[in-house]
Amino acid sequence: MDDPQVLIGVYRSVSMSEMCDSMKQKGDDPETLDLGTNMPLLVYGYLPHPPVSTTPALPLPAAVWVHDGVDRISRLPDVVLVNILSRLPAKDAARTAALASRWRPLWRTAPLALVDSHLLPDGGASGPFTIRDPSPRAVTAAVSRILAAHPGPFRCVHLTRTIMQEHRAEMTRWLDILVAKGVQELVFVNRPWPIDLRLPASLFSCASLTRLYLGIWRLPDSTAVPRRARFPNLRELGLCMNVMEDRDLAFMLERSPVLEILVIMGSQSQVRLRLISQSLRCVQLGHTYLEDIDVVDAPSLERLFLWDTILTGELTPPRMSSTRNHSSRLNIGRAPNLRMLGYLHPGGQELGITNSVIVAGSKESIVPSVQILAIEVQFGIRDAVKKVPGFLRCFPNLETLHVHSSSISEEPTGKVNLKFWQEGGPIKCVLQSLKKVFFNEFQGSKSEVAFLKFIAERGRVLEQMAVVVARECFSLGGNVNAKLKPLTSAKWNNKACKLELFKSPHDDVGGPAYSVEKACDFEFADPFDLNYHYKPERISQLEKPIWRAVECLFLPSKVVLVCGMLRSTVMCSWSVISGLSNCCNLLCFAVVAVSMNYFAMLCYAGLRSKELDRFRISSSTLHR
């Protein structure tokens, strides 16, 4: 087999052996090359799961079999048998033809579900191949035979295990068959190298597609695609680790009139996305170089996700050096139903809002429809934190706020104290609509504490605040209680608000947790919710605060005044008890003082137990 070719960006093709030789000359270990060259295989983590499986999802219940020799299954109507066969892997469905003459023609009439990994000896249980693994030629040959033998229709076809460079003729023939026989769901991945193999334009003639995922391709030049080509039934489109020009992406969106879900993960080139769609409901961008996202006209758009995006200017490869100092920009135009947005990056991303409204005689640029917002903030960078109020003011009806505190690689550039937030002017959503705040990877900095105290002291309708504390706060010498004390001592605006503290399960502060599958599923009301990704651990150290801390931090001024009056009374009684010895006086004073304080504590605990309950440290899930 020829040495696989590596193509990076717009540079010339470089063979694997040339890369190994270059690493040896620099004193690097060539074995580490696999880590980088296998990075494109991360695309498999973003692909949808096949609707059929080689292993049963649930064990079959115990059943009583009647051994009377009667074939009851074969007596079922053809429509029922065909439905059963369509839910089996292609290899198993084809084998049913050997059961009896009754079954022989059924496989050819059942919608085909072909997943090439199921044709491997282990049924694909070992996971995706590494780059250096040879192409499974037996699987490629079996795919060709099955596609040719089955008359269609094809319910779903997942082709992810073939090095397409070695089988260009088969690849072209497969697409022609899929177009002719009407495939509905297609997942088509090129096993690199090269990582920019041109996708045949014939795919654009497949009008039957309802779901399409393409991985590690170079999209066809839109000028070479027939003008009449379109995807009239396509509702979900996934583009993973592809090379694409702006015009090619725009062409695909334009030719998909009923598209509802768009997923772009791990693009090899910068993404300038211009959204003009009457049908799009959910857009996801992840592990992608973002330059500009312009939501021009998307009246049906409900969700816009930016997962682990690489902002232009934050990390810029050589081929993008011309934009090294240019921040990416998200511009929101007409999106009246946009309810969920994130993760935004204050300080590393510009936010533009086209539509303005008149509020109290002045013009404001806001997105009133957004109710759930997620932001990723580097609290160690002063300029980034100072951008947060401006972002929050753009969403006056916000109800749920997710904040991920990310670590910084360089030295901190200053802190933002509580005074900054207090003097920055009112933030409407904090005052009037914000009900839930989830703060992930709290690292104990003063800037983080100041932000949380501001929310607690200004949030009139705040019902829940959940803080997931980073593991580094529990390291040797770290005082978690001291770092959280300023937060628990805040003068909470809403006395009924619940404060929940959790311990992060991650050793290092990384990016936010996310799931492409859950984000596309509209049954999940809030895909940012960490409860969908892991179960945080309860912080047991703060379960039972001593009474002195409760008295000093939580009791209102009335009870403190009562305690002070009781102490004063005891002090005055000292002068009355003048006939006793000094030792007896001291003992009496101590007994009376402790009794009075304890009595006040019990009375207050009985009357104000509900108020103190907001400081409960909960081991339950973040959302109930």
Side-chain angles (χ1 to χ4, degrees), residues 274-582:
R274 182 178 171 85
L275 290 178
I276 302 177
S277 173
Q278 300 298 308
S279 58
L280 264 178
R281 299 178 61 195
C282 176
V283 175
Q284 293 193 62
L285 301 169
H287 296 287
T288 301
Y289 291 104
L290 294 181
E291 185 169 352
D292 291 309
I293 305 173
D294 194 1
V295 183
V296 180
D297 186 13
S300 301
L301 185 63
E302 301 173 28
R303 302 181 172 194
L304 178 56
F305 298 107
L306 310 175
W307 306 115
D308 279 347
T309 52
I310 303 174
L311 305 178
T312 306
E314 179 180 277
L315 176 62
T316 309
R319 67 180 182 275
M320 302 177 190
S321 58
S322 62
T323 59
R324 184 178 297 273
N325 297 319
H326 173 68
S327 299
S328 64
R329 180 177 178 84
L330 170 62
N331 187 65
I332 301 177
R334 183 171 179 265
N337 291 308
L338 182 60
R339 178 177 173 272
M340 198 174 302
L341 177 62
Y343 277 85
L344 300 185
H345 298 257
Q349 187 176 46
E350 297 178 8
L351 178 62
I353 299 175
T354 302
N355 293 335
S356 301
V357 297
I358 304 299
V359 178
S362 61
K363 184 180 292 186
E364 295 183 357
S365 296
I366 61 174
V367 186
S369 60
V370 173
Q371 297 177 353
I372 300 176
L373 176 68
I375 59 176
E376 186 173 355
V377 184
Q378 292 180 316
F379 281 90
I381 300 180
R382 180 179 178 85
D383 289 341
V385 180
K386 293 174 67 175
K387 295 288 186 180
V388 174
F391 274 60
L392 295 180
R393 289 189 178 93
C394 295
F395 310 102
N397 298 320
L398 189 65
E399 296 182 359
T400 302
L401 175 63
H402 295 267
V403 181
H404 183 88
S405 179
S406 56
S407 59
I408 58 175
S409 56
E410 64 269 15
E411 289 295 325
T413 59
K415 301 174 182 178
V416 176
N417 55 26
L418 184 60
K419 184 178 180 181
F420 162 78
W421 295 98
Q422 293 172 340
E423 297 179 352
I427 301 177
K428 184 178 180 180
C429 65
V430 175
L431 295 174
Q432 299 181 5
S433 61
L434 191 61
K435 298 179 181 179
K436 298 178 181 180
V437 174
F438 300 97
F439 195 99
N440 190 31
E441 299 298 336
F442 174 82
Q443 299 164 52
S445 70
K446 293 183 179 180
S447 295
E448 293 174 319
V449 173
F451 171 75
L452 290 173
K453 286 190 67 174
F454 171 76
I455 298 294
E457 294 178 351
R458 297 299 176 92
R460 299 173 183 172
V461 297
L462 189 65
E463 300 173 356
Q464 180 185 15
M465 178 182 287
V467 180
V468 181
V469 183
R471 279 189 177 270
E472 66 179 35
C473 288
F474 299 88
S475 59
L476 184 62
N479 191 336
V480 178
N481 292 3
K483 293 179 179 180
L484 293 172
K485 183 178 179 180
L487 177 59
T488 56
S489 65
K491 299 178 181 179
W492 294 69
N493 198 309
N494 183 9
K495 306 303 181 183
C497 179
K498 303 289 185 180
L499 171 63
E500 298 179 318
L501 304 176
F502 300 90
K503 182 178 181 180
S504 173
H506 304 299
D507 293 331
D508 299 320
V509 177
Y514 69 93
S515 170
V516 175
E517 182 181 5
K518 291 181 175 61
C520 291
D521 189 347
F522 290 90
E523 294 296 325
F524 290 92
D526 185 359
F528 298 115
D529 188 350
L530 297 180
N531 187 42
Y532 294 141
H533 308 290
Y534 58 79
K535 301 294 184 183
E537 178 184 348
R538 180 186 62 176
I539 299 178
S540 59
Q541 292 93 328
L542 300 181
E543 276 189 319
K544 298 178 180 179
I546 61 174
W547 168 246
R548 176 58 60 185
V550 174
E551 181 182 1
C552 295
L553 300 179
F554 303 147
L555 298 188
S557 57
K558 290 183 179 179
V559 174
V560 175
L561 179 61
V562 170
C563 292
M565 293 174 63
L566 290 173
R567 291 191 187 98
S568 299
T569 303
V570 173
M571 293 293 291
C572 292
S573 65
W574 170 257
S575 60
V576 178
I577 314 176
S578 59
L580 300 178
S581 65
N582 291 335

Side-chain angles (χ1 to χ4, degrees), residues 62-73:
V64 178
W65 296 94
V66 179
H67 301 283
D68 54 5
V70 178
D71 184 4
R72 291 179 173 81
I73 295 181

Side-chain angles (χ1 to χ4, degrees), residues 2 15 48 160 167 318 339 386 439:
D2 295 336
S15 69
T160 63
H167 302 277
R339 178 177 173 272
K386 293 174 67 175
F439 195 99

